[in-house]
């Protein structure tokens, strides 16, 4: 699969460490440098805004997807995007971001970032997509998550074959290299039913 666009999930806050901001800027820059389209949540704040700004500064294409109820001072739409899709809900936002993207990266973030990462990973497990997923593990932010995944395998909740559902790197370039080489990250347990079969 040719990689043309990458969806990034990350925080709407800057976080406590300068490394997080540096990582967001580096990722946005590297995505643009490779001629890839950045797809993200569409805001101008936090790591999300910094990453978008960095990609745009390199002449990159940046596509935002934002629920209309986020059009506020707290989490406002980025004014300089190549495209901004306004949608009606968080569910529609995630579906649209997935539709527009060939791969997914999670950077440091909060509950929303975790939820997006696990939903897109679950969709892969169910066979709803076969697009690679990666973690940009800035300052070992995702070390505890990887340990929890290992715990779930050891306790019999995740098959050993799915112990490593994500590519994981500390460098944007190395992570994008992995995603560009990746095939199907997760094989489905069984074929999905069509809507008319449910």
């Amino acid at each position: 699969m040719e990689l043309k666009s990458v969806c990034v999930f990350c925080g709407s806050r800057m976080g406590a460490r300068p490394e997080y901001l540096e990582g967001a800027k580096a990722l946005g820059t590297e995505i643009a440098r490779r001629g890839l389209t950045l797809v993200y949540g569409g805001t101008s704040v936090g790591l999300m805004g910094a990453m978008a700004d960095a990609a745009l500064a390199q002449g990159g294409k940046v596509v935002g997807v934002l629920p209309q109820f986020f059009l506020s001072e707290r989490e406002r739409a980025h004014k300089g995007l190549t495209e901004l899709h306004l949608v009606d809900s968080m569910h529609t936002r995630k579906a649209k971001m997935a539709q527009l993207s060939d791969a997914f990266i999670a950077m440091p973030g909060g509950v929303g970032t975790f939820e997006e990462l696990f939903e897109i990973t679950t969709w892969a497990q169910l066979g709803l997509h076969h697009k690679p997923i990666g973690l940009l593990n800035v300052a070992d932010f995702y070390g505890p998550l990887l340990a929890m995944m290992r715990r779930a395998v050891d306790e019999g909740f995740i098959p050993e074959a799915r112990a490593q559902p994500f590519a994981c790197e500390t460098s944007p370039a190395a992570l994008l290299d992995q995603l560009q080489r990746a095939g199907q990250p997760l094989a489905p347990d069984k074929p999905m039913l069509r809507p008319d079969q449910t």
Side-chain angles (χ1 to χ4, degrees):
M1 177 183 64
E2 184 181 0
L3 196 62
K4 296 180 181 178
S5 59
V6 179
C7 177
V8 180
F9 309 127
C10 62
S12 60
R13 297 184 179 191
M14 290 295 187
R17 297 172 182 257
E19 295 97 318
Y20 300 147
L21 176 57
E22 293 164 12
K25 290 179 176 179
L27 180 57
T29 298
E30 185 65 18
I31 287 171
R33 187 188 71 77
R34 294 178 184 231
L36 303 172
T37 297
L38 168 63
V39 178
Y40 85 115
T43 75
S44 61
V45 297
L47 298 184
M48 297 169 75
M51 175 184 60
D53 287 342
L56 291 165
Q58 293 295 313
K61 182 178 180 182
V62 182
V63 177
V65 184
L66 188 70
Q68 294 194 23
F69 62 82
F70 273 161
L71 295 178
S72 68
E73 288 304 309
R74 183 180 65 82
E75 189 168 354
R76 60 190 180 276
H78 195 297
K79 304 286 191 221
L81 302 181
T82 312
E83 297 175 21
L84 178 64
H85 299 268
L86 293 177
V87 296
D88 61 355
S89 70
M90 294 294 282
H91 296 294
T92 308
R93 181 196 214 181
K94 290 179 288 184
K96 185 67 173 178
M97 290 166 74
Q99 175 193 356
L100 293 170
S101 305
D102 298 322
F104 306 92
I105 292 174
M107 276 202 63
V111 172
T113 300
F114 302 153
E115 188 266 343
E116 289 167 327
L117 170 63
F118 276 106
E119 181 158 9
I120 208 67
T121 303
T122 301
W123 290 0
Q125 180 176 319
L126 294 173
L128 299 177
H129 74 85
H130 300 291
K131 301 173 184 180
I133 303 165
L135 304 177
L136 187 59
N137 196 21
V138 178
D140 198 36
F141 181 82
Y142 281 112
L145 172 63
L146 296 172
M148 190 67 233
M149 295 288 291
R150 183 70 252 173
R151 173 83 185 274
V153 172
D154 293 343
E155 296 297 328
F157 292 105
I158 297 176
E160 182 67 43
R162 297 214 176 93
Q164 295 280 346
F166 323 113
C168 184
E169 295 286 351
T170 58
S171 151
L175 182 57
L176 287 165
D177 285 345
Q178 273 213 56
L179 297 181
Q180 288 184 306
R181 289 192 302 264
Q184 298 180 359
L186 295 170
D189 283 330
K190 58 186 178 182
M192 291 297 296
L193 294 175
R194 297 192 307 269
D196 62 345
Q197 294 177 305
T198 58

